[in-house]
Amino acid sequence: MAARRAAATAKATDAATGRGRATTTTDSPGSPDCLELDELMPWSVRPLRTGRSWVAGPDPAALRARWERLAAAEGAEQERLFRPSRSRTPHTAVAALPGRSATGAGSSTATGAGTAAGTGRFAREPGDCPDPVRILHGPFDEQWLLPDHRLIDAARPELWRVSDERQLFAVEHGYVPQAQASGLAPALSVTHLLPDGHSPAGRPGRIRPLYRRPGAADPNLAPGLLAVVRARLAPEATPEAVLAWTLAAAVPTPSGCRVPLPADAGVWAAGVELGEELVRLRLRGARGGERPRLPGGRRPYVRAALPARPPGIAYDAEAEALVIGEGRISPVPAEAWEFTVSGVRVLELWFGRRAAAAVGAVPEGADADGLDAVGARGWTPEWTSELLELITVLALLDGLRPRREALAARLAGAALISREELRAAGVLPVPASARRPASVLGHQEEGPEGQFALL
């Protein structure tokens, strides 16, 4: 009896320290020992809900023009242009978004007197237009947003609170069965921009910051997971390496992304290397990285100027060219044109949003003379540059498909770190505290009507 107890104790100790290397072999990424993304990165935030489409868009000049028209309107006209919801009306007073300084007439933050613009009621004191901020609208669409909490139904302040020059965000793509059946569809996006969590199709995914506090503090990983990874796979593993592995290996399922955690250090190293390249391409040169470029002779160029009011977009497969009215861009690899997320062609969707904005087209259900139509000034040179870069990114991402397929093949039937070992190491189950936002102390945030709160 004592011998059996001693053997059981030794087995548990080995599992907890990694000496026993408890593993399981899986023939499918859907194996029970695959981690749910919710177990790997426990803290997640729901997508932003603007409540009104006119507060965001591809053209920052249009957003400023909309603000000016709304601020100049009064009474019933301002109410109509605002498009009130249960959460926001021109008479709603709310806290300022974290990190957004309040400015404008009537504010006196130095003395504490008066009501700072941005937290008082818009109808009474709109203030100056805040500078639009860059956001990620869906997987590949970098747009702009008016960062005024009075205009946004659910801005998710907890995301703004931890968004800084060190933060990265992982965003799940919507699950579409037909899209998953067609091949190796990407399961996640990674961005340095504040993401709104929008999905081009399927259910919007949750947003998962890599860090729970500003300054790259407190990784948003299951407690103890990084220690297991360092003990079993890579002694120098960082939270960024775990994120890179997740981007390379995550598999979409109807219940959410699942992430296999390999027991083989070689498989891990190959996946992290691939994931780091995927992250680099998605960041598009941000954080000191190189901007993505195709090899000489394959770089897309404008061969004929794009019209100010593009009638539509088509692809000439024989010439490898995008045809936009009288405008032409080439060479454009077919793989870039056919690149899809959640079953939706990325280039077509990206172009369609800007073509509509160029002519002041409004979303279904919006007023034809509402704010969505304000600021249309035709196709901009900035959009052309962004389109060339997007073509480049999509082509380079598709070029990594063989490596993604090779990683998937290595994972099929590979040994995984088992749930039994993760439970013995205290990684599972994930404590409830890891799923809640962390306290962010040391600074004040402006509350409704110019009051302050310490978080």
Side-chain angles (χ1 to χ4, degrees):
M1 180 70 71
R4 283 199 299 269
R5 282 199 301 267
T9 301
K11 181 177 179 181
T13 302
D14 285 348
T17 61
R19 289 197 299 269
R21 298 209 170 195
T23 61
T24 185
T25 299
T26 178
D27 293 321
S28 165
S31 162
D33 280 293
C34 281
L35 288 177
E36 297 177 7
L37 185 58
D38 196 51
E39 295 172 313
L40 186 75
M41 302 179 72
W43 177 42
S44 65
V45 180
R46 288 177 294 172
L48 276 64
R49 190 177 73 249
T50 62
R52 47 205 53 81
S53 55
W54 59 262
V55 301
D59 184 9
L63 299 186
R64 292 188 178 94
R66 293 169 186 175
W67 172 284
E68 296 300 335
R69 179 171 173 185
L70 181 66
E74 297 180 352
E77 174 64 4
Q78 187 179 78
E79 190 97 4
R80 181 185 72 83
L81 292 173
F82 189 95
R83 299 192 70 188
S85 62
R86 286 190 300 175
S87 298
R88 295 290 186 270
T89 76
H91 307 281
T92 304
V94 296
L97 288 172
R100 309 306 303 178
S101 59
T103 59
S107 65
S108 182
T109 55
T111 63
T115 302
T119 60
R121 290 164 173 78
F122 190 95
R124 185 179 66 204
E125 190 180 9
D128 295 333
C129 178
D131 291 333
V133 297
R134 199 71 156 156
I135 64 168
L136 186 69
H137 179 61
F140 290 98
D141 196 345
E142 296 186 1
Q143 294 199 13
W144 299 88
L145 174 73
L146 287 171
D148 190 306
H149 209 179
R150 299 171 298 177
L151 311 181
I152 305 171
D153 278 11
R156 313 303 179 199
E158 58 270 41
L159 291 179
W160 297 75
R161 201 166 284 133
V162 300
S163 180
D164 62 13
E165 67 281 356
R166 300 286 302 278
Q167 186 65 269
L168 293 173
F169 298 95
V171 188
E172 295 177 68
H173 297 168
Y175 181 82
V176 178
Q178 299 87 340
Q180 311 310 325
S182 64
L184 256 176
L188 296 170
S189 289
V190 170
T191 179
H192 65 292
L193 300 174
L194 184 79
D196 64 7
H198 176 80
S199 177
R203 184 177 179 180
R206 296 182 73 91
I207 302 166
R208 300 176 191 272
L210 179 58
Y211 293 102
R212 291 163 47 82
R213 290 185 171 89
D218 193 2
N220 181 24
L221 301 174
L225 177 66
L226 194 57
V228 171
V229 169
R230 287 171 173 168
R232 294 291 310 272
L233 301 171
E236 305 299 324
T238 63
E240 286 79 6
V242 177
L243 179 63
W245 168 263
T246 302
L247 185 61
V251 178
T253 74
S255 60
C257 290
R258 297 180 69 85
V259 184
L261 198 61
D264 185 284
V267 175
W268 169 267
V272 170
E273 184 179 7
L274 171 59
E276 288 173 345
E277 181 64 10
L278 292 169
V279 171
R280 184 187 72 83
L281 291 176
R282 288 183 176 268
L283 296 192
R284 306 188 192 187
R287 306 290 168 81
E290 294 183 6
R291 299 198 77 85
R293 298 183 68 184
L294 285 164
R298 299 302 299 161
R299 295 171 191 161
Y301 290 95
V302 177
R303 309 297 177 175
L306 277 58
R309 301 287 192 272
I313 189 171
Y315 183 66
D316 184 337
E318 185 175 352
E320 287 194 315
L322 284 184
V323 181
I324 303 172
E326 298 298 319
R328 289 178 74 87
I329 295 176
S330 68
V332 177
E335 294 79 11
W337 171 250
E338 296 293 343
F339 197 102
T340 62
V341 173
S342 300
V344 178
R345 191 177 283 147
V346 170
L347 277 177
E348 253 185 330
L349 180 62
W350 185 96
F351 171 84
R353 288 170 176 159
R354 283 152 184 79
V359 298
V362 300
E364 185 178 352
D367 294 333
D369 61 344
L371 293 178
D372 287 289
V374 172
R377 57 191 180 105
W379 188 272
T380 71
E382 292 81 7
W383 293 348
T384 300
S385 298
E386 291 173 20
L387 176 56
L388 294 174
E389 184 171 78
L390 180 57
I391 292 168
T392 298
V393 169
L394 297 180
L396 290 172
L397 285 173
D398 187 81
L400 295 175
R401 178 179 291 270
R403 291 174 61 183
R404 294 181 61 222
E405 292 172 344
L407 179 64
R410 292 183 71 176
L411 280 169
L416 303 182
I417 296 176
S418 69
R419 285 180 171 272
E420 177 185 354
E421 177 179 344
L422 294 175
R423 281 193 290 268
V427 176
L428 297 178
V430 177
S433 59
R435 302 189 185 281
R436 296 191 293 266
S439 297
V440 180
L441 300 173
H443 69 284
Q444 289 181 326
E445 292 181 9
E446 190 175 348
E449 301 290 352
Q451 300 182 39
F452 286 87
L454 182 66
L455 300 177

